[in-house]
Amino acid sequence: MPELGNSRGYTIGPKGEERKVADYRQALQELRAMPKACWRRPNDAGNWGIVTAVRWEMRPITASQSAELT
């Protein structure tokens, strides 16, 4: 989700192998290529932690999400 980035971009990869990717679409492409996609996102308390995908679900991009990507 585009809102999971911060001012430096998106942090992807497993713990100890994390890297920053500035572009959302590039981050998504790299996550799809990982055996187990991992990325940082904030929890309910606002602390950023690593999560691992269980499955992929393709969803259409809404107009507001599309505007965020440009």
Side-chain angles (χ1 to χ4, degrees), residues 3-67:
E3 63 272 13
L4 295 181
N6 58 35
S7 62
R8 295 172 295 191
Y10 302 89
T11 305
I12 63 172
K15 191 169 188 169
E17 299 177 30
E18 299 165 77
R19 63 188 178 282
K20 294 284 186 189
V21 178
D23 179 71
Y24 173 75
R25 292 175 198 254
Q26 181 65 35
L28 187 57
Q29 181 178 354
E30 291 187 34
L31 285 166
R32 286 183 184 148
M34 291 179 185
K36 288 189 177 185
C38 302
W39 65 96
R40 284 199 177 261
R41 67 163 175 84
N43 62 18
D44 291 337
N47 301 314
W48 289 76
I50 296 176
V51 295
T52 303
V54 177
R55 64 183 168 83
W56 282 107
E57 181 178 318
M58 299 298 289
R59 295 183 178 185
I61 295 176
T62 66
S64 62
Q65 290 170 326
S66 181

